[in-house]
Amino acid sequence: MAETVLTNTGLDQFLALLDGRPEHRDPAFARAAEAVLGLLALRGADRTAGLPEPDPRLVRQLLVEDLPAFVYAPPGDLPAYPAVVGALAGCFDGELRQRVAAVVAEAGPDFERAMTDPGNLTWHRWYASLLRTVGADLADADDVRRRIGALDGAPLPDGVLRADLMGRTALAETVLAEAVARAYVRDAEQPPAAGPLLTDHAVAAGIGRVTAALLDRWTAAGLADELAGPFARFAPGPDDFPHLVLADALLDEHMDYYGDPSVAVPPPADDGPAGDTERDADALLAAVEELAEEEYEPYGGEAPHLLYALYQRGCAADSIARRAAEYEDWTVDPALEDVPVPVPEGATGDYVTPPVPELVRLLGSAGITEDDRARLDGPARDLAAVADRLAVTGLVLRSGDAFGLTPRGAATVRYLLRVRRIAAPTAAEAAAWTAKELVTAAAQWPHPAAARVLADWLHARGETADAWSELLAALGAVHAHASEGAAVRALFGLLDTAAAPPSALRGALRDPVVGAYALDALRVRGEDAEPLQVPVSSRALRVLDRLPAKKGPLESRRAAFDAAAADWPGGSAALVEAMAGADRHGTERALGPLGISLP
């Protein structure tokens, strides 16, 4: 028990000072006091006065870091912990009381959120909460031992993975063990007048045993031994999650693509049934590790990249030949890089490189010859061998020239992404986003995936005028001056505006960003619209977005700009000013290479 491990925390003195007050008789308050005083002392609080002095910095750490990591408390008992801090501060001078009160008031909401956030659960905190629901006395090790077996197979909270609890538990145990070790060394080097926190006898048993005893007292008595012994399967450790190596590789890929784990990847078209994702992830890791061997060169080491790239396409199938051509530095039309390929049925057997006409269609290069096809044949076969090895897992498919993730494979890769806190929504989750959240994410996706998810979002809302208006507004003024404005505006072209309610399009005419695009959509449908409603900024953006892409020849871009400027009121100077005012980032990128200066 923790009280026999941590000594001289001042607990008895503190409770004696409160004698006669209601808190003194409240078991929840006493339990909270034991944890609060113990953690403050472990963290190095000054104990000269016999009580750990609640330094405001330590109080903040206690409330938002330590208690949510090490202590289980039912929701009804949570107020006891800030109350203990306040009462402890009351044992010191007035200035400290005021400073601590300010910290508690500021950090109180964060404390409650952290204590109730499923993302902060450890195995010890989770099983303590479950034991309480089945009526166990958390202070009675025998009762915990009798009841823990009934928790076999208890489901985790929604959105929480076993790997999450494993990682959080390993971190909590490490942090607590380090705090215990530092406290022992600190007291040995400078013996405090109040006496040491840890006896030599306790430390002789090992820092791990001290840590386990503290976690037991702060969660459920005897729980640590049960989870380390007869019920170890309830709390798997790092060795039970070898696939986290692959999750780390996918995190690296995501950071290369987006630079931020909070940037979402597009969801698959069909969430599909998931199998045993942990077992599937282990199988996928085994295949990836085998592919890293010499016999699968030169593309075997690319397996994590291939898995991520397939998922990042929205799980749409890709072409072996097109991917091999990219690896061989062939020119591939950027407009075709993300175009899905059909998956033929029953195309089994050895890989065969597509004929020249199909390669022309896949790569967008009209000059491909039979000699080119012969040069591509070796790399394509090597890449197909990698896809075939991955396909043995049942998580990847390869049919003819097409390869991709199976529904189970998509669920497995999504699991691996989520284990590393990468935003990887399901189709249903993406459909529940706000329009602004959807647009922010979709602007960074391949266009085929973005078009599908935008359509699904509208369909989920019955494609009503209100839904269209909300989406058009998110495409418009919200991103008017953002650096990714052009990517957001490009989403308008992915919408099936032929199916949009006319009222929604007319309502967007006055939008300073998409007004001109809404006008074009109405005109294509033969609908009446008033051009004078469209702001100058939107008309200028339409000119900007219609200039040839930055990868195209500068001469064609200059010619297109000059043609637009000839019809623009006030000429080129007025057009440049309007374009820069509407999207300075995009205008600099488009006109800077032409030698045109912005006002």
Side-chain angles (χ1 to χ4, degrees):
M1 302 288 274
E3 61 261 33
T4 65
V5 179
L6 289 186
T7 60
N8 303 307
T9 64
L11 178 62
D12 293 339
Q13 177 184 347
F14 174 66
L15 294 177
L17 289 172
L18 300 179
D19 193 12
R21 290 171 55 175
E23 302 98 300
H24 184 251
R25 295 185 295 277
D26 183 355
F29 185 89
R31 178 180 171 85
E34 184 175 51
V36 167
L37 271 63
L39 281 166
L40 286 173
L42 277 176
R43 289 301 193 183
D46 186 350
R47 292 184 290 124
T48 303
L51 298 175
E53 183 175 322
D55 177 87
R57 178 185 60 82
L58 293 180
V59 168
R60 167 168 285 282
Q61 181 179 15
L62 171 83
L63 292 175
V64 301
E65 296 180 27
D66 289 347
L67 290 172
F70 312 130
V71 176
Y72 165 70
D77 291 351
L78 290 181
Y81 291 82
V84 167
V85 174
L88 179 62
C91 298
F92 294 84
D93 63 72
E95 180 184 352
L96 180 63
R97 287 198 297 270
Q98 294 171 2
R99 291 165 58 206
V100 169
V103 170
V104 171
E106 178 191 357
D110 291 334
F111 161 71
E112 291 201 16
R113 279 194 296 270
M115 290 295 286
T116 56
D117 181 358
N120 285 336
L121 287 173
T122 62
W123 288 126
H124 301 85
R125 296 182 69 230
W126 171 235
Y127 281 110
S129 71
L130 293 179
L131 286 164
R132 179 176 174 272
T133 65
V134 297
D137 180 353
L138 300 185
D140 185 339
D142 290 335
D143 198 32
V144 167
R145 186 178 303 109
R146 283 193 299 270
R147 295 180 184 269
I148 190 170
L151 304 179
D152 196 3
L156 296 177
D158 288 344
V160 176
L161 305 171
R162 296 198 326 152
D164 294 334
L165 270 74
M166 179 277 296
R168 180 78 179 169
T169 301
L171 177 62
E173 290 176 341
T174 298
V175 170
L176 185 56
E178 289 176 349
V180 168
R182 282 196 297 270
Y184 181 73
V185 172
R186 185 173 57 243
D187 286 356
E189 292 178 343
Q190 295 183 337
L197 278 177
L198 296 150
T199 65
D200 291 338
H201 174 73
V203 175
I207 296 296
R209 291 301 304 164
V210 175
T211 301
L214 290 171
L215 291 175
D216 273 4
R217 183 58 185 169
W218 296 337
T219 56
L223 181 57
D225 283 343
E226 296 303 315
L227 294 181
F231 294 96
R233 70 184 187 280
F234 282 19
D239 291 343
D240 296 297
F241 296 86
H243 54 260
L244 294 183
V245 173
L246 181 54
D248 288 335
L250 294 178
L251 173 60
D252 290 342
E253 293 291 335
H254 185 81
M255 296 303 288
D256 286 343
Y257 269 71
Y258 297 114
D260 183 350
S262 68
V263 175
V265 287
D270 179 10
D271 291 333
D276 184 336
T277 51
E278 289 181 13
R279 184 177 299 172
D280 285 343
D282 288 341
L284 203 52
L285 172 65
V288 167
E289 290 180 335
E290 181 180 334
L291 285 167
E293 298 174 2
E294 186 175 351
E295 65 179 290
Y296 286 101
E297 290 184 351
Y299 302 124
E302 294 293 317
H305 172 73
L306 292 172
L307 292 169
Y308 179 84
L310 287 171
Y311 196 94
Q312 191 267 345
R313 293 165 54 83
C315 298
D318 200 356
S319 159
I320 292 282
R322 185 165 62 199
R323 182 67 62 171
E326 291 176 343
Y327 278 131
E328 295 300 303
D329 293 326
W330 287 29
T331 299
V332 178
D333 185 347
L336 299 176
E337 290 175 349
D338 298 313
V339 174
V341 298
V343 179
E345 293 186 9
T348 58
D350 294 338
Y351 177 81
V352 177
T353 305
V356 169
E358 178 64 5
L359 289 178
V360 170
R361 189 188 71 81
L362 287 169
L363 307 182
S365 302
I368 294 177
T369 66
E370 284 293 344
D371 288 342
D372 295 325
R373 178 179 180 273
R375 284 193 298 113
L376 187 61
D377 189 63
R381 287 178 180 274
D382 289 339
L383 186 56
V386 172
D388 287 344
R389 174 60 189 94
L390 293 171
V392 171
T393 64
L395 307 173
V396 171
L397 62 88
R398 203 274 292 173
S399 181
D401 183 55
F403 76 116
L405 296 170
T406 65
R408 249 180 61 220
T412 302
V413 173
R414 180 170 61 243
Y415 160 76
L416 289 167
L417 295 172
R418 287 186 162 185
V419 162
R420 285 301 178 243
R421 295 291 187 270
I422 296 169
T426 64
E429 288 166 346
W433 282 345
T434 66
K436 183 178 179 181
E437 290 171 331
L438 173 65
V439 166
T440 299
Q444 304 191 64
W445 294 344
H447 279 181
R452 168 176 54 79
V453 179
L454 288 166
D456 289 346
W457 189 90
L458 288 167
H459 181 72
R461 288 157 181 75
E463 303 192 29
T464 62
D466 286 345
W468 271 92
S469 295
E470 184 182 354
L471 183 57
L472 293 176
L475 292 173
V478 173
H479 294 271
H481 300 287
S483 59
E484 73 278 10
V488 173
R489 296 191 299 274
L491 297 178
F492 188 97
L494 306 180
L495 300 174
D496 180 14
T497 53
S503 60
L505 292 173
R506 290 197 184 92
L509 288 174
R510 293 184 176 85
D511 189 281
V513 175
V514 299
Y517 303 86
L519 177 64
D520 290 342
L522 287 167
R523 283 174 168 171
V524 167
R525 292 162 43 135
E527 301 277 356
D528 293 333
E530 179 51 64
L532 294 178
Q533 295 184 40
V534 178
V536 170
S537 60
S538 182
R539 291 192 286 114
L541 287 172
R542 179 173 55 181
V543 172
L544 173 62
D545 292 339
R546 287 180 174 179
L547 294 178
K550 60 183 179 181
K551 293 184 179 180
L554 291 179
E555 294 81 3
S556 62
R557 195 184 313 172
R558 181 74 206 213
F561 173 78
D562 290 343
D567 294 331
W568 190 267
S572 61
L575 176 56
V576 171
E577 182 177 2
M579 291 167 66
D583 182 354
R584 192 170 189 87
H585 300 281
T587 303
E588 287 178 340
R589 287 195 295 264
L591 301 188
L594 303 180
I596 300 175
S597 300
L598 275 57

